[in-house]
Amino acid sequence: MKNLGILLSGRGSNFEAIARNVAAGGIPAKIALVVSNRENAPGLDLARAMGLNTRFIPSQGKDREAYDREVVAALKECRVDLVCLAGFMRVLSPYFVRAFPGRILNIHPALLPAFPGLDAQKQALEGGVKFSGCTVHIVDEGVDTGPIVCQAAVPVLENDTVETLSARILKEEHRIYSAAICLMLEGRVRIEGRRAVSAD
Ligand code: GRF
């Protein structure tokens, strides 16, 4: 059984969807550790309520790599195989990325490479696109640049607000994150340059 490590900073709805799929047997893995850099993150409370192994590792005032060394040590201690960023509001240092090469996933609320970075849903609305969506990608040393594992598209409606578009995208996030985790755990993803291709 492979071990998952979840990193979050806030609400934790993606974490919750993953945890429910793990509990239901839909993801062949165990959640070995949930880390939050914010003590008051609702996702951290939820993980505690679910009886999972959690760690609050404060990031405030710490140098990026020093912080990442603490998190990597905790993940290694719990023998984590795959790290899932689930609303973790920090850019990882090269040290972190190299500690789990090709074994860190992130979910982004846009169809990358469109609208990377913060406020992706607002960027999509302002950009006037007719479709947006979400992307699960492998984390490399850039910001939202790594090989794409799964994507889902949703329409952008003329009367959408950031809230309504975000809600439509979030539903798809909850679905494709677990699907991408399964593909990774089953060894069905191979990296070819900048692309993640099916290893079947
Ligand atoms: C999601 O929109 C995700 O795509 C982005 O941060 C948000 C996290 O939401 N990376 P939640 O904490 O999983 O509810």
Side-chain angles (χ1 to χ4, degrees):
M1 191 67 110
K2 295 266 168 97
N3 284 332
L4 299 180
I6 311 274
L7 270 53
L8 55 80
S9 304
R11 181 176 57 183
S13 73
N14 276 287
F15 152 66
E16 185 177 4
I18 294 164
R20 291 198 188 287
N21 282 330
V22 166
I27 296 177
K30 179 184 162 208
I31 297 179
L33 180 64
V34 178
V35 174
S36 174
N37 65 319
R38 299 206 184 126
E39 194 167 22
N40 56 1
L44 185 59
D45 291 337
L46 193 66
R48 288 184 181 130
M50 286 176 155
L52 295 172
N53 183 28
T54 61
R55 285 273 301 271
F56 159 53
I57 307 181
S59 54
Q60 227 177 13
K62 280 178 198 156
D63 164 79
R64 185 177 306 284
E65 188 174 313
Y67 179 73
D68 283 3
R69 282 181 186 275
E70 281 185 51
V71 177
V72 165
L75 293 167
K76 296 269 184 197
E77 218 173 88
C78 294
R79 303 191 181 287
V80 164
D81 300 293
L82 182 66
V83 179
C84 302
L85 307 183
F88 188 59
M89 299 307 287
R90 293 178 58 83
V91 173
L92 303 190
S93 63
Y95 170 82
F96 196 140
V97 176
R98 288 171 198 167
F100 289 93
R103 294 193 290 131
I104 308 171
L105 289 178
N106 181 42
I107 180 119
H108 183 76
L111 293 173
L112 291 172
F115 313 128
L118 291 176
D119 299 323
Q121 300 93 334
K122 182 161 177 267
Q123 292 186 54
L125 280 180
E126 288 173 358
V129 293
K130 304 301 183 197
F131 285 88
S132 189
C134 48
T135 304
V136 180
H137 66 93
I138 294 171
V139 174
D140 64 9
E141 291 182 26
V143 175
D144 300 328
T145 51
I148 292 168
V149 180
C150 286
Q151 288 187 308
V154 304
V156 179
L157 307 179
E158 268 173 18
N159 56 358
D160 261 336
T161 61
V162 170
E163 288 70 32
T164 58
L165 177 59
S166 299
R168 194 174 307 121
I169 293 173
L170 194 63
K171 255 195 189 165
E172 296 302 308
E173 293 186 32
H174 295 166
R175 191 174 61 76
I176 69 167
Y177 210 164
S178 291
I181 291 169
C182 286
L183 289 175
M184 295 292 290
L185 291 173
E186 291 161 2
R188 286 163 61 199
V189 179
R190 190 160 42 89
I191 306 301
E192 264 181 19
R194 301 190 44 73
R195 301 193 312 149
V197 298
S198 164
D200 293 342

